[in-house]
Amino acid sequence: MLSNEIIEQIRTGELVLHCVEVKIFQAAENGFKMLGHGTIKINSVGTIYLEFICTDSKNVPRAFFNEKLPKDPLNHEEKLYLHIKTLDGNEYQSNGFSITINIHSSSLPTHYDVMLSSIYSLNDTELPKLKEDSFLYFEFADYFKIPSNKQNSLVSSLGTESYSWNQTVIEMDGYSISMVKHRGYTEVNVAGCFEPDKLLKCLKFYIGFSSASMPQPYYTKSIINGEEKQTFYSISNKQKRQTSSSPMVDNAGDEKYRDSTYHYAFLENIISLYTENPKQFDSLYSQWERVWYSFQSKNSIMILTLSVAIEGLLNDIYIPVIKSKNENTELNDEINKIKIQIKNLDLTNEQCNRLLGSVSYWKNITAAKALDYLIKYDVITAKDKKLWQKIRNESAHPKVREEDLAKEKLELEQVLSCLDLFHKLILNTLKFSGPIRILQLKQNHSYIELKHIEVLA
């Protein structure tokens, strides 16, 4: 079990684990095996790595130059596994990493630096409550901006006491979520009956979307069916200081929204979507994640990524529903008649297939048509569509031009406005109603009340 001291070392990046036994191997029958000892540390950029001294090996391929193993990361038989035992008797595992061998690998002992995405430990434990109850705990040091609803006191060694609204408690159906913001990091506790892996993904999306950050848990602890799993992860220290933009309002002055229930309901809707339609959830999460990363790049990259992400959401979520709702029987009959006529013409197979494809395209719902549909139901505005078409065309047909400050500001204003459209599509999919922030270059952003309009049922 990881001690509080080790967790603190993971948090600060000062982790050092002395490993008396290290085993790197492939599970295949003729796979290679390396034995030895080493030290696990975290480097300056946040990556966990193993300084490994190999003292014994078997079936290691010969290599004259640097060669990375596995050669095919997608081949399960070539997958690498790591088992280690530390000085304090704890045992950890990892997998899915790579190791670089060379001509010196056959001359033992040999030194390797092995980069690891994560390391975990497994232990049997007794649950304090019912057998079906689960537990999840994780920490991250990224930007956090969720409305607080609970005050905590802090007593110093001198006896002075201070108070802070630094905790959010959300009661769900069968479990309770607690988020506490400390100086430099945030901890999240969940206890009750739930699925930890599923909830962790939902919480990362909720926190990230609401806080304009990309949460990177560096430590997680979960208990499922009596098995405790503790994991610590490689993260990007540079990313901890980065944010994008979020439409969510964490503290609304309006009496109607002052208790922040609209904000907590947003999390419930995220979990419901993941449960009922995981494909739609994955589309939202992956497109949002891609746009967030593009926000750390040049305006032109942001514009391209954002315009494609909007089209992706329309294709994945909205267009299939619009198609099913707008089945035009008369148009289908007309298309079928024209297809029969085309087949009777004196044409080559290639010419016939081209014409048939063009006629079939008449009933296709394009991204532009889907936006028209959403404009009709007041989900978005005509201005939103016009701006998306403009940046989509500019992204598809870029021109080389000299940049200046005025053009950069104009591009950024377009990006922020198009980001509003992107956020509206996400929020409407998640059935959100409440105050949102309209993004502008001005210091004082404007706020509107967004009401969910059901167009996906």
Side-chain angles (χ1 to χ4, degrees):
M1 181 180 293
L2 296 181
S3 65
N4 291 332
E5 181 181 359
I6 291 179
I7 296 173
E8 175 66 24
Q9 291 172 353
I10 298 169
R11 188 182 300 142
T12 59
E14 299 172 346
L15 177 71
V16 177
L17 293 178
H18 297 290
C19 309
V20 294
E21 295 179 15
V22 176
K23 178 182 177 183
I24 295 176
F25 63 98
Q26 292 174 319
E29 184 177 350
N30 296 320
F32 76 82
K33 184 195 303 183
M34 294 180 174
L35 303 175
H37 55 87
T39 306
I40 286 180
K41 300 179 181 179
I42 299 176
N43 64 19
S44 59
V45 299
T47 304
I48 300 168
Y49 70 100
L50 166 67
E51 290 184 344
F52 174 45
I53 304 298
C54 178
T55 56
D56 188 18
S57 64
K58 181 180 180 182
N59 295 336
V60 177
R62 290 184 175 275
F64 291 99
F65 303 99
N66 286 342
E67 184 176 315
K68 184 175 288 188
L69 299 177
K71 295 179 180 179
D72 182 5
L74 299 180
N75 187 342
H76 183 73
E77 291 188 353
E78 295 186 28
K79 187 175 182 179
L80 301 187
Y81 296 86
L82 169 68
H83 288 179
I84 62 174
K85 186 174 183 179
T86 60
L87 273 174
D88 53 11
N90 286 329
E91 296 184 6
Y92 302 93
Q93 301 178 34
S94 186
N95 57 69
F97 55 92
S98 63
I99 189 169
T100 301
I101 62 173
N102 51 43
I103 194 171
H104 302 294
S105 298
S106 57
S107 303
L108 300 177
T110 309
H111 171 264
Y112 299 92
D113 282 332
V114 184
M115 303 298 166
L116 304 167
S117 60
S118 64
I119 288 184
Y120 63 92
S121 66
L122 297 173
N123 298 287
D124 292 331
T125 186
E126 292 185 7
L127 291 171
K129 296 182 182 179
L130 299 175
K131 186 176 181 181
E132 64 267 27
D133 281 0
S134 300
F135 174 82
L136 172 66
Y137 174 89
F138 64 94
E139 291 185 10
F140 61 92
D142 307 279
Y143 190 62
F144 176 79
K145 200 173 184 181
I146 302 296
S148 301
N149 57 17
K150 186 174 180 180
Q151 187 183 60
N152 289 301
S153 61
L154 181 65
V155 180
S156 72
S157 58
L158 298 176
T160 59
E161 190 171 4
S162 60
Y163 298 89
S164 175
W165 285 92
N166 67 337
Q167 185 175 7
T168 302
V169 178
I170 305 176
E171 297 295 337
M172 308 294 283
D173 185 17
Y175 58 95
S176 177
I177 302 171
S178 170
M179 305 179 228
V180 182
K181 185 177 181 180
H182 299 279
R183 181 176 295 179
Y185 73 98
T186 300
E187 67 173 51
V188 180
N189 274 285
V190 191
C193 189
F194 63 97
E195 298 177 41
D197 291 341
K198 165 185 162 182
L199 186 60
L200 176 60
K201 194 170 184 179
C202 292
L203 284 169
K204 286 170 64 178
F205 183 38
Y206 171 61
I207 294 169
F209 186 85
S210 301
S211 308
S213 63
M214 185 63 68
Q216 304 175 96
Y218 49 79
Y219 169 71
T220 65
K221 176 181 176 181
S222 61
I223 301 176
I224 308 173
N225 298 326
E227 183 179 67
E228 178 185 270
K229 182 177 182 179
Q230 298 189 76
T231 310
F232 51 99
Y233 303 85
S234 292
I235 63 170
S236 170
N237 286 332
K238 181 181 178 182
Q239 188 177 305
K240 289 193 296 188
R241 299 181 290 273
Q242 293 178 336
T243 58
S244 60
S245 293
S246 171
M248 299 298 287
V249 179
D250 58 325
N251 287 307
D254 192 304
E255 185 69 31
K256 181 180 178 181
Y257 298 112
R258 194 166 292 173
D259 59 1
S260 299
T261 53
Y262 72 94
H263 205 294
Y264 310 141
F266 183 52
L267 172 59
E268 294 183 38
N269 295 346
I270 290 173
I271 297 170
S272 295
L273 181 67
Y274 192 8
T275 303
E276 298 165 9
N277 199 326
K279 287 186 177 179
Q280 286 190 2
F281 174 86
D282 287 339
S283 177
L284 291 183
Y285 198 152
S286 59
Q287 296 291 3
W288 167 76
E289 186 177 54
R290 186 180 302 173
V291 168
W292 188 92
Y293 281 111
S294 74
F295 219 86
Q296 319 307 323
S297 185
K298 296 170 60 177
N299 286 349
S300 58
I301 303 299
M302 284 191 285
I303 290 173
L304 174 61
T305 307
L306 187 54
S307 61
V308 173
I310 289 170
E311 192 169 354
L313 290 180
L314 293 172
N315 287 327
D316 292 345
I317 299 173
Y318 287 89
I319 289 178
V321 176
I322 295 172
K323 274 185 178 180
S324 64
K325 286 185 175 183
N326 291 269
E327 190 65 31
N328 192 327
T329 306
E330 292 182 4
L331 179 59
N332 287 337
D333 291 341
E334 185 179 349
I335 288 173
N336 290 333
K337 289 178 183 178
I338 294 174
K339 283 184 175 181
I340 293 173
Q341 294 174 0
I342 290 173
K343 290 176 181 178
N344 292 329
L345 295 175
D346 185 16
L347 300 171
T348 65
N349 287 336
E350 184 179 353
Q351 291 170 333
C352 184
N353 289 334
R354 282 187 180 181
L355 287 174
L356 291 174
S358 297
V359 173
S360 297
Y361 185 73
W362 292 354
K363 63 180 180 180
N364 279 9
I365 303 294
T366 63
K369 288 180 182 178
L371 291 175
D372 286 333
Y373 182 87
L374 297 177
I375 292 170
K376 177 183 174 182
Y377 287 94
D378 294 325
V379 175
I380 63 171
T381 66
K383 183 180 177 182
D384 291 331
K385 178 194 172 184
K386 184 177 180 180
L387 180 61
W388 174 77
Q389 286 180 316
K390 182 177 185 298
I391 72 167
R392 186 71 179 95
N393 291 335
E394 289 179 354
S395 298
H397 308 284
K399 297 179 181 179
V400 178
R401 62 186 183 186
E402 294 183 4
E403 299 291 342
D404 58 40
L405 186 59
K407 289 179 180 177
E408 287 183 5
K409 285 186 176 181
L410 177 61
E411 279 191 343
L412 186 54
E413 187 71 57
Q414 291 176 341
V415 167
L416 293 178
S417 297
C418 207
L419 201 56
D420 286 329
L421 168 58
F422 179 67
H423 289 155
K424 286 177 185 177
L425 294 177
I426 291 179
L427 292 170
N428 194 74
T429 304
L430 291 167
K431 302 180 180 181
F432 174 84
S433 291
I436 65 168
R437 180 183 294 107
I438 298 299
L439 306 175
Q440 297 174 340
L441 281 179
K442 303 173 185 177
Q443 288 186 349
N444 297 321
H445 296 294
S446 58
Y447 300 87
I448 63 170
E449 183 179 23
L450 187 71
K451 292 186 177 180
H452 169 67
I453 299 171
E454 187 58 80
V455 292
L456 294 174

